[in-house]
Amino acid sequence: MSELRRSTMQPAPDIYGNTRSGLPMPSTAKKASSSAMRMSLAGPAARTPYFPPGAGSGSNTGHSGYRSQNVNPLLQSTSKPNYGRTPLTNSSRRGSVWTGGPSLAPPSGSQTFKDPRPIRERSYQSKMKQDIYSWLQATEFDISVQTLSNITGKDYRAMFQHLVTIMDPGYPFDSRLRFEDEFQPALKSLRYPFSAQIDNKWLAAPGSMHSWPALLAVLHWLVEMGKARLNYLESEDDPTLQIADRIPEEFSDPIHHQALAFNYFSEAYVAFFHGADVFHEQDKELEASYAKKNERVVGDLENKKALLAQGTKELDELRSSKAPVEKLQKIRACILDDRAKFDDVLHRLESRKRQLTESVVREKAELAARSQNFDQLKAEHEKLTEVVKVQNLTPEEVIRMNTDHETLARNLEDLKYKISEARKTVMSLEVITTNRGAAAEEALDLYGNLLSAVGLFPPLPPPFDNIDLRLELNTAAANPQQLLLGSDIRKVIKPTLNSVAEIKRTERADTESERIKVDNELDQLTLECENVDEEVREIEKKVMSLNEQADDLRDAAQQESMVSNAEAARLERELAHARTAALSSGMGVKSRLQALQFDYREQIAKVSRLKDETIRAIAKNSNEIGLFKEEVSAQLRRLRDFVEEGN
């Protein structure tokens, strides 16, 4: 947006390339002219449509014949408001947008095209005349049919300029020039393909037999181009018209971008000439257009981003979580363990079922035996009753027998009562036995679960690999010692569990001792590390002191060297002075010169000796620093190896 703004602020030349002032010039600036010129017959216009390359005239306006089209924003005329015009002359018309450059020049003579139209046929000439007459009447140009039949140079010039003005209302016709000088440039600017076949001398007598067909064909071509241009301007759906209000909300055509850019430039240009330096409204309007264009794309982008974030989150969760195979393997291991437990429980329940079935069979057999005994006693009782009836007994015997009968009846009642009490006791004992059996089974189930939890299911680890600690309840056993099936509790199971508990306690004590030992070793290693750190700091201090000493020695050597150099320079100066004095005073000062030379050699030797001592001191300090670094590295390597071995 800032680039668009900067482009509108640059000083603009006029349409002929002449920069008149430093102020920016609008596209409606006039060409400088010293004479009054004929204005365009087209109506007012507001903006310039976009013409693709090779689309004929680059003009932007319609013709004056259809005044209802003057409200079209694409039509252009000299009546456009004078925004930003630099007052050059009193001329009221603008220059043409045709530059007349080489890119618009017609083909050369070697590439001249032959007119394929039958322009010399009478019927075709009549048709061209009728089309020209109809078009001129439609564009409000007063002409008669006889004028086209007996054409003059003045009428031809008027019709030609009118038709060219319809194509390009800003074309710069000059009334001071001859028509022959303006005819060919106008045709070339409009890219008339057969302009090379026309001779300007024909314009003196356009109605002659040899010139009229070609000149009539020029007028007819201008008429057809005018109709095509009008049809193009009235085609509301053509994007090259660059009408901003007809740009769809979503567009990708470059022409639509150019239309928005032109609309922005024109509105910003108008605002600039009203004194505005910042174009907030134009910026907002352009941004709103592109925001509306990108609204659906931005929405789709946000949805895609949300889907991407969701997919990324799911991918991260899948990557951070364990593999499903591991989870399934754990579930499979748990299922296999449960299956083993269920198989064991099922085996015990089936054993209990067999025991209960055998107990029921025994009870049924006993019940049948007692029923048979009861039937026998009943038959015997009936038999005895018959015997008593048959026998002839005395009253005393009867009384005694009755007494015995009553006694036996009472005894029988007592026995029945005792039997009923015994049955009640047996039933209660059976209930108690059943409850205790269920409790014993629950206890055995708990015992089995504990064995499974602590890993004491067979096979057991050595030395208990031949011992089975499992127990089963046999409620159908008559002998109490046979109620539990399995190893003996007192002789096998209890000692084995005690031994296992003792082994576990011993292992735990050993583990605790090992942990305490490892903690002590870690404390010792930590203390040793701290000691080593202290030693390293001490050595670093020594190294720093040695470096400082080396720096001091180097500074002292440099100072001594500077002093020696200064002394040597002084001696050289004195030697030179002595030489000069010797030359002036003679050989009397030869001894002094020799003394000065001797002092100079001593100073040179002293400087060399100090340099050698400084170099040796620096080498010694560097060697000591290297040895210290090697020693520290060795200590650190030994410490790292020791820590790794301890871990």
Side-chain angles (χ1 to χ4, degrees), residues 1-10 24 260-288:
M1 199 65 67
S2 61
E3 294 179 359
L4 295 177
R5 246 185 246 116
R6 286 196 298 269
S7 65
T8 59
M9 298 295 106
Q10 299 298 328
L260 290 176
F262 183 85
N263 188 52
Y264 174 82
F265 283 138
S266 59
E267 293 181 358
Y269 212 44
V270 172
F272 173 74
F273 282 107
H274 280 85
D277 293 331
V278 182
F279 314 108
H280 293 297
E281 295 182 0
Q282 290 77 14
D283 293 346
K284 290 181 180 179
E285 183 178 354
L286 187 62
E287 290 172 357

Side-chain angles (χ1 to χ4, degrees), residues 216-411:
L216 181 63
V218 170
L219 296 179
H220 186 262
W221 183 85
L222 291 175
V223 168
E224 294 297 327
M225 291 298 102
K227 291 180 180 179
R229 183 174 179 275
L230 178 62
N231 187 28
Y232 165 70
L233 292 177
E234 291 179 348
S235 59
E236 298 180 355
D237 296 333
D238 197 328
T240 58
L241 291 174
Q242 294 188 331
I243 301 176
D245 296 337
R246 297 176 184 173
I247 297 176
E249 294 183 356
E250 296 183 7
F251 58 88
S252 59
D253 196 333
I255 297 175
H256 293 151
H257 293 278
Q258 295 174 4
L260 290 176
F262 183 85
N263 188 52
Y264 174 82
F265 283 138
S266 59
E267 293 181 358
Y269 212 44
V270 172
F272 173 74
F273 282 107
H274 280 85
D277 293 331
V278 182
F279 314 108
H280 293 297
E281 295 182 0
Q282 290 77 14
D283 293 346
K284 290 181 180 179
E285 183 178 354
L286 187 62
E287 290 172 357
S289 299
Y290 279 98
K292 188 179 295 184
K293 168 185 175 293
N294 300 329
E295 183 177 358
R296 184 180 61 82
V297 178
V298 171
D300 294 341
L301 180 61
E302 294 297 331
N303 295 332
K304 296 291 178 53
K305 286 183 177 179
L307 294 176
L308 178 61
Q310 183 179 359
T312 306
K313 183 179 179 182
E314 293 178 357
L315 180 61
D316 294 338
E317 291 178 355
L318 292 176
R319 288 179 175 175
S320 60
S321 62
K322 294 183 179 179
V325 177
E326 296 180 0
K327 185 177 180 181
L328 294 175
Q329 288 177 352
K330 290 182 180 179
I331 295 173
R332 182 176 179 274
C334 294
I335 291 173
L336 292 176
D337 191 12
D338 294 340
R339 179 184 177 184
K341 293 179 182 180
F342 289 151
D343 290 339
D344 187 28
V345 172
L346 183 61
H347 177 68
R348 284 184 289 170
L349 292 177
E350 287 179 352
S351 176
R352 183 181 176 187
K353 179 181 178 182
R354 287 195 301 271
Q355 294 173 2
L356 292 176
T357 303
E358 292 175 357
S359 177
V360 169
V361 171
R362 286 195 299 271
E363 292 294 335
K364 286 183 178 180
E366 185 178 358
L367 181 61
R370 290 187 178 183
S371 298
Q372 186 178 2
N373 189 16
F374 178 73
D375 293 337
Q376 291 177 358
L377 291 175
K378 187 176 181 180
E380 185 177 357
H381 178 266
E382 292 177 355
K383 181 179 179 182
L384 290 174
T385 303
E386 291 294 332
V387 169
V388 170
K389 288 181 180 180
V390 171
Q391 290 178 359
N392 188 12
L393 299 176
T394 61
E396 291 81 4
E397 292 177 351
V398 172
I399 293 171
R400 183 172 56 79
M401 292 178 65
N402 289 333
T403 303
D404 294 338
H405 181 268
E406 291 177 358
T407 302
L408 292 173
R410 285 195 298 273
N411 292 335

Side-chain angles (χ1 to χ4, degrees), residues 170-181:
Y171 188 83
F173 285 113
D174 192 351
S175 59
R176 296 174 301 173
L177 298 178
R178 296 188 309 159
F179 182 49
E180 290 80 357
D181 298 335

Side-chain angles (χ1 to χ4, degrees), residues 561 565 606-616:
S561 176
N565 291 332
K606 185 178 180 181
V607 170
S608 300
R609 186 177 67 256
L610 289 174
K611 286 183 179 179
D612 294 337
E613 290 177 358
T614 303
I615 291 171
R616 284 196 297 273

Side-chain angles (χ1 to χ4, degrees), residues 592-645:
R592 184 181 177 187
L593 177 60
Q594 291 177 354
L596 290 174
Q597 290 177 351
F598 180 75
D599 291 337
Y600 175 73
R601 286 193 294 271
E602 285 183 352
Q603 291 296 328
I604 294 298
K606 185 178 180 181
V607 170
S608 300
R609 186 177 67 256
L610 289 174
K611 286 183 179 179
D612 294 337
E613 290 177 358
T614 303
I615 291 171
R616 284 196 297 273
I618 293 173
K620 181 180 178 182
N621 290 332
S622 300
N623 189 19
E624 290 178 356
I625 291 171
L627 294 175
F628 169 70
K629 288 184 177 179
E630 291 180 357
E631 184 66 24
V632 171
S633 300
Q635 289 289 341
L636 292 176
R637 282 196 298 272
R638 286 196 292 273
L639 178 60
R640 183 184 62 188
D641 296 337
F642 180 73
V643 172
E644 290 178 354
E645 291 176 358

Side-chain angles (χ1 to χ4, degrees), residues 15 26-30 39-51 57-66 69-83 85 92-98 164-171 229-230 233 241-242 262 266 269:
I15 58 176
S27 60
T28 56
K30 305 175 186 176
M39 295 182 60
S40 171
L41 297 178
R47 66 174 298 162
T48 304
Y50 171 77
F51 284 92
S57 173
S59 176
N60 315 342
T61 64
H63 54 83
S64 61
Y66 292 90
Q69 300 295 329
N70 290 345
V71 297
N72 192 324
L74 292 172
L75 298 178
Q76 192 175 31
S77 170
T78 55
S79 61
K80 188 173 182 179
N82 298 327
Y83 290 132
R85 295 191 178 184
S92 60
R93 64 172 295 159
R94 63 180 177 87
S96 173
V97 297
W98 297 107
V164 171
T165 303
I166 291 175
M167 291 293 297
D168 182 10
Y171 188 83
R229 183 174 179 275
L230 178 62
L233 292 177
L241 291 174
Q242 294 188 331
F262 183 85
S266 59
Y269 212 44

Side-chain angles (χ1 to χ4, degrees), residues 127-255:
K127 179 179 178 300
M128 289 192 293
K129 290 179 183 180
Q130 185 63 35
D131 293 340
I132 294 170
Y133 176 76
S134 301
W135 178 250
L136 292 176
Q137 290 294 327
T139 55
E140 297 184 353
F141 185 83
D142 294 334
I143 192 175
S144 62
V145 180
Q146 290 77 12
T147 303
L148 292 175
S149 299
N150 299 317
I151 192 70
T152 63
K154 181 179 179 181
D155 294 335
Y156 188 85
R157 179 174 185 174
M159 287 188 291
F160 178 80
Q161 290 183 350
H162 175 73
L163 294 175
V164 171
T165 303
I166 291 175
M167 291 293 297
D168 182 10
Y171 188 83
F173 285 113
D174 192 351
S175 59
R176 296 174 301 173
L177 298 178
R178 296 188 309 159
F179 182 49
E180 290 80 357
D181 298 335
E182 292 183 327
F183 184 72
Q184 285 290 346
L187 292 181
K188 291 179 180 180
S189 66
L190 296 177
R191 294 189 178 184
Y192 182 63
F194 315 112
S195 60
Q197 301 177 5
I198 299 175
D199 191 356
N200 288 338
K201 296 178 181 179
W202 296 351
L203 298 175
S208 61
M209 184 181 302
H210 64 280
S211 62
W212 177 237
L215 296 178
L216 181 63
V218 170
L219 296 179
H220 186 262
W221 183 85
L222 291 175
V223 168
E224 294 297 327
M225 291 298 102
K227 291 180 180 179
R229 183 174 179 275
L230 178 62
N231 187 28
Y232 165 70
L233 292 177
E234 291 179 348
S235 59
E236 298 180 355
D237 296 333
D238 197 328
T240 58
L241 291 174
Q242 294 188 331
I243 301 176
D245 296 337
R246 297 176 184 173
I247 297 176
E249 294 183 356
E250 296 183 7
F251 58 88
S252 59
D253 196 333
I255 297 175

